[in-house]
Amino acid sequence: MEIKPATLEDVDQIINLGKSVSEFQVSDRVVTFWPKKVLIDCIKSKQNPIFVAVEDSQIIGFIIANYNPSFKKTIIENIFVDPDFRGREIGKSLLDSLLNRLKELDCEYVCSLMEIKDESAVQFYLKNGFNRGINCVWMDRILEDSFKK
């Protein structure tokens, strides 16, 4: 298994994996996963790190982050490991790769939003040194059709 920065050739596999994760849907009016153009723009930007876990030429996991250099802050947008490959610390390896890259970018703060009921995700972040927030309500507004269902 290898962890590497995502390339443009990885986009379709990332999308196929991401669309299979119902937990990524934040409201009933928004696409379940990122539009292809958004992922392509992120990979090209070098400011929004995306790492993939690859085994036998198949992407089995990914982490996607949104870094804002003005605020020196990153939001982890998505992290996912195929259920067939869990328990091998792939998620930790993806997170470690991301955190190393963020240090290179001079990031000072990292956060992640998730469903309060997703206790396994909460435990993953706590185990990896994150602090638990008090509560969170997701509010969104669609500005472009590419995000509409």
Side-chain angles (χ1 to χ4, degrees):
M1 192 270 309
E2 171 193 15
I3 304 292
K4 67 178 189 84
T7 65
L8 295 177
E9 291 76 30
D10 297 326
V11 169
D12 288 332
Q13 281 191 61
I14 294 169
I15 288 171
N16 288 337
L17 214 65
K19 283 185 175 180
S20 72
V21 184
S22 61
E23 291 87 355
F24 288 164
Q25 185 169 355
V26 294
S27 78
D28 61 354
R29 301 178 80 193
V30 178
V31 293
T32 304
F33 196 63
W34 300 105
K36 187 173 186 173
K37 183 180 180 334
V38 170
L39 291 179
I40 289 170
D41 289 347
C42 287
I43 290 170
K44 286 180 176 179
S45 79
K46 307 291 186 205
Q47 289 291 318
N48 297 295
I50 301 175
F51 286 88
V52 292
V54 180
E55 187 162 286
D56 297 327
S57 301
Q58 279 298 118
I59 293 176
I60 58 171
F62 58 82
I63 190 165
I64 299 172
N66 180 357
Y67 173 56
N68 184 320
S70 298
F71 287 102
K72 296 184 180 287
K73 173 185 174 181
T74 296
I75 298 173
I76 297 174
E77 300 286 352
N78 306 103
I79 183 169
F80 178 74
V81 175
D82 184 305
D84 293 339
F85 295 90
R86 292 183 183 167
R88 295 175 36 189
E89 301 219 341
I90 296 169
K92 180 176 178 10
S93 295
L94 286 164
L95 181 60
D96 289 345
S97 295
L98 172 67
L99 295 176
N100 288 333
R101 176 68 180 127
L102 292 174
K103 287 177 188 175
E104 293 170 4
L105 293 172
D106 201 28
C107 179
E108 296 179 1
Y109 179 80
V110 181
C111 64
S112 180
L113 298 173
M114 69 203 74
E115 290 183 89
I116 294 172
K117 67 182 181 182
D118 191 351
E119 195 57 38
S120 65
V122 171
Q123 291 306 312
F124 170 80
Y125 282 106
L126 289 173
K127 182 179 171 184
N128 285 284
F130 282 67
N131 304 305
R132 184 179 187 136
I134 297 168
N135 59 38
C136 177
V137 174
W138 186 274
M139 303 294 294
D140 65 35
R141 182 170 176 181
I142 299 167
L143 298 178
E144 290 294 327
D145 286 344
S146 62
F147 278 87
K148 288 183 183 176
K149 268 191 152 180

